[in-house]
Amino acid sequence: MTKIILPGQTIGIIGGGQLGRMMALAAKEAGFKIAVLDPAIDSPTGQVADVQIIAPYNDMHALEELAEASDVITYEFENIDVTGLEKLAEIAYVPQGSELIRITQNRIFEKRAISEAGVPIAEYISASSFSELEEKSSQLPFPFVVKTARGGYDGKGQQTVTSKEELALAEPLFQNGECVAEAFVEFTKEISVIIQRNVQGEMTILPIGENVHRDHILHQTIVPALVMESTIEKAKEAAAKIASHLDMIGTLAVEMFVLENGEILVNELAPRPHNSGHYSIEGTNISQFHQHVRAICGWPLREPKLWADTVMVNILGEHVAPLTAKISRYPNWSVHLYGKDEAKHKRKMGHVTILTEDLQGTLIEIDESGIWPK
């Protein structure tokens, strides 16, 4: 079933975080109304929504209420209840469906799907228990990374193992169920490919960004990625293969490792707008959030164009105070804060975007600002 959703109609969003907030703001520019389901009373999305439904994500009565209030429903994060989403799709228009969520919630399912799409990934093994990991560990060279199959983000739920003696360090991960062990990849850069696809099957890809992490959390995204043109083409081709294989609608972020020879390996998928795509709000002629709204509403997609070299830097809890104190010194910075109530250490509170004609000078400016000490 394909529908065209028009201004004045209501977009329902499952999840009230910053991604939903930016999605809602983009939708409101086009005249849509917003309904949001989130357990928090004052969620970032709830602050800008027309209708707030405050309840757990798996509350079927709340999902029914969201269905009644909405003409189309999307989601802003992947850790939602698949069963609830399946039932919701029976009574409401959920063009993205639930299958993509089911696959990306589980690293084993995800890796299998990427391989089936004909896209390269790092060598891996799966194990349902620690004893099974011990038995299979000889199939991978050390070092390797053990990750919980479900859950875990920003470096949580994983353990690097450098020798057989260190295997025991990974045993606690199995308290959360099955795990995967991935061969350690010697990569030169990490890039993100944000691909978007509407209900008619039209696909577009944002200019590809290069990601820099600190303490397993995305620190900054540099666009365009400083890689060979042949790598860009391989990355786009891989993302398109995955999106087509999964029959994806909406937004899919494909995180990839770039090897020294310019080849790519896919690391992870995120079936939603992504932190590394925030730069597109100022940096391109169509942001990932505007494009996502177009995709789920059945509108034609716009071919993305980068206005200038762009750097996006995350604002964590510890960066809010120094940023606030110094922002008057940087008139070229675009500041986004997400409306979260408490600036906790390592919590994503916002981001800064900088369009520049001097990329290296801007990277130096960011470091010398003192807001993001290394």
Side-chain angles (χ1 to χ4, degrees), residues 45-328:
T45 312
Q47 293 166 18
V48 299
D50 301 280
V51 176
Q52 284 191 76
I53 301 168
I54 300 163
Y57 302 120
N58 61 354
D59 184 323
M60 202 56 219
H61 292 297
L63 288 167
E64 289 170 358
E65 190 178 344
L66 182 67
E68 194 163 326
S70 306
D71 297 289
V72 61
I73 294 175
T74 185
Y75 45 78
E76 63 110 39
F77 76 123
E78 56 266 50
N79 291 318
I80 55 181
D81 182 65
V82 173
T83 303
L85 192 60
E86 288 172 348
K87 291 178 181 176
L88 179 65
E90 294 173 1
I91 60 171
Y93 181 47
V94 187
Q96 292 161 278
S98 60
E99 181 64 7
L100 186 58
I101 287 287
R102 185 190 72 82
I103 290 169
T104 54
Q105 279 184 353
N106 186 303
R107 286 188 172 92
I108 297 171
F109 298 167
E110 182 176 280
K111 289 181 181 301
R112 191 178 300 146
I114 295 167
S115 293
E116 288 171 354
V119 173
I121 58 174
E123 191 180 355
Y124 77 97
I125 55 174
S126 60
S128 57
S129 65
F130 179 65
S131 59
E132 186 179 359
L133 176 67
E134 288 182 304
E135 290 171 16
K136 289 183 170 180
S137 62
S138 60
Q139 297 176 25
L140 286 181
F142 291 105
F144 55 73
V145 183
V146 184
K147 299 179 180 180
T148 54
R150 297 178 63 87
Y153 63 96
D154 290 345
K156 300 176 177 68
Q158 60 181 261
Q159 175 65 52
T160 300
V161 176
T162 62
S163 65
K164 198 168 183 68
E165 291 70 36
E166 285 191 357
L167 265 180
L169 295 173
E171 186 169 9
L173 296 177
F174 287 89
Q175 293 173 4
N176 297 316
E178 58 188 349
C179 293
V180 294
E182 303 171 359
F184 190 79
V185 176
E186 291 286 352
F187 61 94
T188 59
K189 297 177 186 292
E190 184 190 288
I191 59 175
S192 285
V193 184
I194 312 285
I195 187 166
Q196 300 182 288
R197 184 174 181 268
N198 66 10
V199 293
Q200 292 87 356
E202 180 187 7
M203 289 191 288
T204 59
I205 296 175
L206 281 175
I208 294 174
E210 175 182 331
N211 296 331
V212 178
H213 289 82
R214 289 186 182 174
D215 299 325
H216 301 286
I217 300 172
L218 182 63
H219 168 54
Q220 64 187 20
T221 298
I222 302 163
V223 191
L226 304 176
V227 298
M228 295 184 292
E229 186 59 37
S230 59
T231 299
I232 294 292
E233 292 309 311
K234 287 169 185 171
K236 288 180 177 180
E237 182 183 354
K241 282 183 176 180
I242 294 168
S244 297
H245 176 72
L246 296 174
D247 201 21
M248 180 274 296
I249 292 169
T251 303
L252 183 70
V254 187
E255 295 182 63
M256 305 182 186
F257 296 131
V258 179
L259 309 184
E260 192 170 357
N261 62 1
E263 296 295 320
I264 55 99
L265 291 177
V266 170
N267 180 32
E268 288 185 336
L269 307 178
R272 51 165 171 78
H274 193 259
N275 193 171
S276 63
H278 293 351
Y279 81 88
S280 62
I281 297 174
E282 284 88 15
T284 66
N285 63 331
I286 180 78
S287 80
Q288 65 170 339
F289 301 103
H290 289 87
Q291 196 86 295
H292 182 82
V293 170
R294 284 174 167 266
I296 62 167
C297 290
W299 291 22
L301 304 184
R302 183 179 300 165
E303 189 61 36
K305 174 185 176 183
L306 187 67
W307 294 129
D309 290 355
T310 305
V311 182
M312 186 284 300
V313 195
N314 269 335
I315 303 166
L316 305 183
E318 61 268 33
H319 304 140
V320 173
L323 173 76
T324 305
K326 296 179 180 180
I327 192 57
S328 61

